[in-house]
């Protein structure tokens, strides 16, 4: 194939993306603070960020990043197993493990990679077990989990979202020596609803399985010190493998696999996503550690974002809008097709509220939506204006 044909095929594919309203492009925004940004010369209130606690611009986190970069440089220079792992990394991992209540934690450059690393560590066991590992995934888990599991080429099944009776049937159909790994999220990223952790705990007692729980959106917003949704539910020990991202409520970048010492050793020994990638800069580790300290010192941030989420959800429901169950700061308004979601987001932007449309493949076909997220840094007036704008919008999208 010559270069011209290659370019033509790329162009044809992108034309198709446009024709089905799935074309994506980067927007250059200028972050002003946790909840305000400038875009094409205009100032917006940001309702599209996962900075639930307003930590991205916290002076203590900025100072931690500066000091660590000044002390140890801007890059780690090598994979953690070579020479890219220092005191800052060890301290952050210990702080993360204490925060999650696990024996150990392993730091990775992103939550996406943390999910790959966790799944790879589990998949490595299939060698010892003669290949008998099977993954059971909630239908709505994040793309990083789907990609990670697919890449193992091990058997996998998908159960309908939060459908524990169906999960039970899948667990029962397997033979007893098969290692079954249930993969789910505590707070679902695009729907903002929660997994039934009590139900999963009950099922686990009856039909033992390994639970991989992605707490990307539970961290910070739930639990003492923001330790997560499982901690909030009084089920801190329920997951065998917990994934955290440092990029959402924690206001930085990176991810971690948390669990037993043995699990973390398996990640270090087997996970290609860990072994073959450069260690995070010390500044990234220092920011994560400081974020955990700030969450402990400033519990009002969690209270505030949850209060705003509760208020928004209640007022929208009272106005007849249909919002999925739950109380998280992720509030989706499902409008159906891609172009309706794009239009709704555009209308909110016209009112100075920065919101984006979420379309397939991020969400299932026919469930395109606008996804609004709240932060402790939003003012009462900003949230009131958002609620009013969503109510205005609704008759035209229902
Ligand atoms: C954002 C997200 C990830 C990926 O985390 P990054 O740190 O952004 O790479 C993983 N899982 C879920 C559920 C997420 O929402």
């Amino acid at each position: 194939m010559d270069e011209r044909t290659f370019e033509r095929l790329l162009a044809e594919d992108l034309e198709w993306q446009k024709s089905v309203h799935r074309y994506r492009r980067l927007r250059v925004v200028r972050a002003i603070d946790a909840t305000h940004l400038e875009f094409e010369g205009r100032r917006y209130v940001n309702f599209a960020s996962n900075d639930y606690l307003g930590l991205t611009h916290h002076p203590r986190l900025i100072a931690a990043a500066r000091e660590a970069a000044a002390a140890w440089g801007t890059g780690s220079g090598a994979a953690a197993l070579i020479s890219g792992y220092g005191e800052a990394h060890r301290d952050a991992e210990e702080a993360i493990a204490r925060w999650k209540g696990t024996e150990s934690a392993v730091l990775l450059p992103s939550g996406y990679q943390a999910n790959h690393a966790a799944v790879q560590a589990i998949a490595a066991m299939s060698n010892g077990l003669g290949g008998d590992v099977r993954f059971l995934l909630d239908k709505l888990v994040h793309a990083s989990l789907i990609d990670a599991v697919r890449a193992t080429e091990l058997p996998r099944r998908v159960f309908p979202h939060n459908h524990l009776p169906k999960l039970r049937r899948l667990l029962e159909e397997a033979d007893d020596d098969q290692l079954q790994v249930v993969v789910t999220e505590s707070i679902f990223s695009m729907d903002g609803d929660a997994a039934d952790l009590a139900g999963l705990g009950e099922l686990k007692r009856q039909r033992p399985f390994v639970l991989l729980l992605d707490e990307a959106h539970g961290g910070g917003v739930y639990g003492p010190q923001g330790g997560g949704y499982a901690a909030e539910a009084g089920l801190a020990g329920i997951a065998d493998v917990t994934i955290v991202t440092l990029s959402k409520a924690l206001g930085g970048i990176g991810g971690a696999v948390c669990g037993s010492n043995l699990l973390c050793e398996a990640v270090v020994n087997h996970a290609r996503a860990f072994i073959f990638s450069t260690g995070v800069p010390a500044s990234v580790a220092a920011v994560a550690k400081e974020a955990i300290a700030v969450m402990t010192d400033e519990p009002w941030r969690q209270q505030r974002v949850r209060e705003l989420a509760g208020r928004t959800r209640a007022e929208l429901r009272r106005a007849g809008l249909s919002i999925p169950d739950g109380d998280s700061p992720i509030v989706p308004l499902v409008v159906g097709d891609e172009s309706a979601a794009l239009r709704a987001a555009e209308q909110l932007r016209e009112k100075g509220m920065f919101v984006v449309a979420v379309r397939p493949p991020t969400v299932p076909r026919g469930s395109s939506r606008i996804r609004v997220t709240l932060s402790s840094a939003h003012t009462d007036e900003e949230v009131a204006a958002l609620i009013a704008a969503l109510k205005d919008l609704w008759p035209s999208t229902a």
Side-chain angles (χ1 to χ4, degrees), residues 50 109-115 141-145 185 187-190 214-217 243-248 253-255 371:
N50 302 308
S110 71
Y112 188 96
Q113 257 173 282
N115 274 334
V141 294
H142 192 259
S144 55
L145 289 164
E185 289 173 26
I187 301 296
F188 283 82
S189 62
M190 293 299 139
D214 184 336
E215 282 257 39
H217 297 276
I243 303 301
V244 303
T245 72
L246 310 174
S247 51
K248 286 154 186 167
I253 188 74
R371 173 185 181 271

Side-chain angles (χ1 to χ4, degrees), residues 190-191 321-324 331-337 340-341 344 358 363-372 394 397-398:
M190 293 299 139
D191 291 68
L321 279 73
S322 117
I323 313 285
V331 184
L333 289 151
V334 176
V335 297
D337 76 31
V358 185
V363 293
R365 205 172 305 154
S367 76
S368 287
R369 65 197 66 186
I370 49 176
R371 173 185 181 271
V372 172
W394 190 246
T397 52

Side-chain angles (χ1 to χ4, degrees), residues 33-37 44-49 352-355 373 375 378:
D33 58 27
T35 44
H36 300 93
L37 58 81
Y44 293 87
V45 182
N46 190 355
F47 287 107
S49 158
M353 298 164 205
F354 200 83
V355 169
T373 46
S375 166
H378 285 125

Side-chain angles (χ1 to χ4, degrees), residues 342-367:
L342 288 168
R343 244 186 348 264
E346 184 58 42
Q347 282 171 313
L348 289 165
R349 286 201 297 271
E350 278 163 16
K351 295 183 175 176
M353 298 164 205
F354 200 83
V355 169
V356 297
V358 185
R359 296 163 286 164
T362 310
V363 293
R365 205 172 305 154
S367 76

